Amino acid sequence: MPKVAVLLCTMQAQHFLAEQLNSIATQTHPAWAIWASDDGSNDYTHAILEYYQSHWGDDRISIHAGPAEGSTANFLSLTCRADIEADYFAYADQDDVWEADKLERAVAWLKTIPADVPALYGSRTLLVDARNQHIGYSPLFERPPSFRNALVQSIAGGNTMVFNRAARELLRAAGENVEAVTHDWWAYMLVSSCGGKVHYDVYPTVRYRQHGGNQFGSNINPLAQLRRARLLLQGRFRGWVDANLVALQRVRHLMTPESQRVLDEFTRARKRWIGARLLGLKRSGIHRQTTLGNLGITLAALINRL
């Protein structure tokens, strides 16, 4: 049975960590081991991890110190550890709850992809409140994943992502010090640009907890969408795209010729005057998953915030 390395990053995780660990323990795919990287917690996070380690054993859960540079750096550092050996790798947030068949569904799809082809699985999520009560679903995306989409949108949260060894080697080749905005968006861009396969499962595999401590949270409600629209108008989204493009240039040699062409067209279009900018954006095929999202991208291009 293929082994899954669960890459769990923690920081001040005492409130919800035990529930997440219990949900991993009840997976229908039983061949897993947790690698927990803590970024400097001073609450009871370490005590909780050590309690489970004492009951499960070192072969089920190991505890490590993160780089203390934020969640993205922590996840990338853990991804690039040479001593983690597995067939598949799953990102795990500290405060969610996995559905029992999460790993089973991901591994079933990943097995259909040749081992030498980078493959990344992600899914929709079921949204819950701090008490794990159902409050909604993440947006349902219907267009196929692609690099043209990945340049301007991350469609699956890292808390749902599972990837194969070839994808992990891509991430390691890119390095843990890459200046990407988030580890999940980076994984989507990297795998889709380098000839890999990306699958978006419409079945929710994670209960994504919404609470006051979320770094990003879901953008499903109107207030969250308004906040994101404000960030776009203020130029924050443009800054994110700038950082991602710098990171992508570092791995250009790993990309397919088609992805290199798309990257170049998009990069050139962002620097042109307004008419050529809109035309170049259309020619490059860059898009988001929804009509409203594409209107937002067009507006951003109009006001030079893309």
Side-chain angles (χ1 to χ4, degrees):
M1 183 172 290
K3 180 181 177 181
V4 180
V6 178
L7 309 180
L8 171 67
C9 289
T10 60
M11 179 61 183
Q12 306 295 87
Q14 66 180 14
H15 294 297
F16 307 114
L17 179 57
E19 197 170 2
Q20 169 68 303
L21 292 172
N22 291 337
S23 74
I24 295 171
T26 57
Q27 289 295 296
T28 56
H29 181 88
W32 52 264
I34 298 172
W35 293 71
S37 179
D38 185 71
D39 233 10
S41 299
N42 59 14
D43 62 358
Y44 290 106
T45 297
H46 271 277
I48 295 169
L49 291 171
E50 289 166 1
Y51 174 84
Y52 278 82
Q53 186 182 58
S54 69
H55 284 72
W56 291 353
D58 294 347
D59 59 329
R60 277 294 201 183
I61 179 169
S62 58
I63 306 168
H64 310 272
E69 296 176 358
S71 63
T72 297
N74 199 4
F75 273 110
L76 291 179
S77 173
L78 195 54
T79 304
C80 292
R81 286 186 66 107
D83 55 342
I84 301 180
E85 285 292 332
D87 301 290
Y88 303 114
F89 304 82
Y91 286 139
D93 288 354
Q94 65 190 25
D95 45 10
D96 300 321
V97 177
W98 285 8
E99 301 290 12
D101 58 350
K102 170 189 162 61
L103 290 182
E104 183 181 356
R105 291 183 67 86
V107 168
W109 177 77
L110 288 165
K111 281 182 174 180
T112 69
I113 308 300
D116 60 339
V117 176
L120 174 69
Y121 169 97
S123 81
R124 197 181 187 194
T125 58
L126 187 150
L127 307 179
V128 299
D129 62 16
R131 297 175 301 156
N132 195 19
Q133 300 299 305
H134 179 209
I135 58 175
Y137 294 93
S138 64
L140 176 61
F141 299 129
E142 298 180 345
R143 300 185 68 171
S146 68
F147 182 53
R148 289 177 172 86
N149 176 224
L151 279 168
V152 291
Q153 184 177 25
S154 180
I155 61 173
N159 54 354
T160 72
M161 286 183 170
V162 187
F163 47 95
N164 66 1
R165 195 177 299 171
R168 193 263 188 130
E169 290 309 309
L170 257 185
L171 288 159
R172 290 192 67 200
E176 63 182 274
N177 297 317
V178 64
E179 296 293 333
V181 177
T182 61
H183 65 288
D184 45 7
W185 196 357
W186 176 239
Y188 181 24
M189 287 189 293
L190 188 62
V191 172
S192 62
S193 68
C194 296
K197 302 292 184 181
V198 179
H199 177 61
Y200 172 77
D201 191 349
V202 300
Y203 174 85
T205 63
V206 170
R207 301 177 71 86
Y208 182 15
R209 199 187 303 268
Q210 306 294 294
H211 58 87
N214 284 111
Q215 183 174 8
F216 290 103
S218 173
N219 63 348
I220 186 173
N221 67 68
L223 284 177
Q225 292 175 357
L226 183 62
R227 284 195 297 269
R228 292 186 184 227
R230 189 183 300 120
L231 291 176
L232 185 150
L233 294 174
Q234 292 172 345
R236 180 76 64 85
F237 184 75
R238 181 179 176 85
W240 291 345
V241 175
D242 285 340
N244 285 339
L245 291 181
V246 170
L248 285 167
Q249 289 296 345
R250 287 181 49 179
V251 296
R252 180 186 175 88
H253 62 288
L254 302 174
M255 295 182 185
T256 66
E258 174 65 12
S259 294
Q260 291 177 1
R261 184 186 66 78
V262 171
L263 178 64
D264 291 344
E265 285 188 354
F266 181 53
T267 302
R268 286 195 299 267
R270 296 175 74 234
K271 299 176 181 178
R272 292 175 175 166
W273 61 277
I274 186 168
R277 193 185 310 145
L278 292 171
L279 183 62
L281 183 63
K282 183 177 181 180
R283 183 181 295 121
S284 68
I286 302 301
H287 65 273
R288 288 174 70 91
Q289 286 282 331
T290 64
T291 301
L292 185 60
N294 284 316
L295 286 174
I297 289 298
T298 302
L299 174 61
L302 280 169
I303 62 175
N304 201 24
R305 292 293 186 271
L306 178 61

